[in-house]
Amino acid sequence: MAFHRLDVAGLPSLPVLAVAEGADSAIYMGTGSGLSRWQEDRGIEPVAELAGQRVNALHTRGDGTLWAGTAAGLWRLEAGKGAALMADDSPAASRIRDIVENSKGMLYVWAVDREIWRSRGVVWQQVELPRDLSADITALGSAEGRLWLGTHEGVWANESAIWQQYDA
């Protein structure tokens, strides 16, 4: 693997808060002031629908849809269709911190105020967090068929709706 320096002229602001590769092989970069798309032959171009939005998280699903978590909610960007803010029955009105997808296609969204949402299609459900969870969530991940939460006190794993704590 080789690292190359990218000229960031054209980004709406720095620092870059999130990075994802789109289905079109473009690199998407979220900043405190918007979302930009980079392709080697075209350079950096802004994504107009998210201009001025703080983009905290990006995730490309297996179907090619790019999801952007912003301070104003969750956005879905589909090739050729532009961006759309998700409906009220989703984490749309929440400040999004992270987005992950498990191997079965379940999308998980971490919103502030200790909320985790999940969806496989168009219906969103809030994930019930462990009753014993006292620390704030600091990280969200999906691996080994489990949803993982990082906290200041350790790690929690959820498999088949059962939470298990791994102490620090």
Side-chain angles (χ1 to χ4, degrees), residues 24-137:
D24 58 357
S25 297
I27 303 299
Y28 289 85
M29 294 170 276
T31 72
S33 298
L35 180 65
S36 295
R37 181 177 181 271
W38 177 82
Q39 284 188 299
E40 195 164 356
D41 61 336
R42 299 173 82 172
I44 295 175
E45 302 172 321
V47 175
E49 293 92 340
L50 275 77
Q53 296 284 337
R54 179 180 176 87
V55 180
N56 299 314
L58 293 170
H59 177 76
T60 304
R61 291 194 82 167
D63 66 3
T65 303
L66 180 71
W67 292 81
T70 73
L74 183 64
W75 292 76
R76 180 182 65 224
L77 294 87
E78 295 180 88
K81 295 184 181 178
L85 184 62
M86 296 304 298
D88 292 337
D89 61 347
S90 74
S94 301
R95 202 167 64 217
I96 307 301
R97 299 286 305 268
D98 203 357
I99 306 166
V100 299
E101 184 176 8
N102 71 12
S103 60
K104 296 177 183 173
M106 183 70 74
L107 191 68
Y108 290 92
V109 174
W110 167 26
V112 297
D113 300 328
R114 296 166 53 123
E115 291 182 2
I116 306 291
W117 294 77
R118 70 176 176 211
S119 175
R120 186 168 289 129
V122 295
V123 177
W124 287 91
Q125 297 176 319
Q126 195 167 355
V127 174
E128 186 175 332
L129 295 177
R131 289 185 192 101
D132 299 338
L133 179 64
S134 59
D136 288 336
I137 299 168

Side-chain angles (χ1 to χ4, degrees), residues 124-167:
W124 287 91
Q125 297 176 319
Q126 195 167 355
V127 174
E128 186 175 332
L129 295 177
R131 289 185 192 101
D132 299 338
L133 179 64
S134 59
D136 288 336
I137 299 168
T138 58
L140 177 69
S142 177
E144 299 180 2
R146 300 179 189 153
L147 177 65
W148 295 83
L149 302 179
T151 73
H152 292 291
E153 297 174 351
V155 176
W156 290 83
N158 181 308
E159 184 173 15
S160 301
I162 298 171
W163 286 101
Q164 180 175 354
Q165 184 177 16
Y166 298 88
D167 293 325

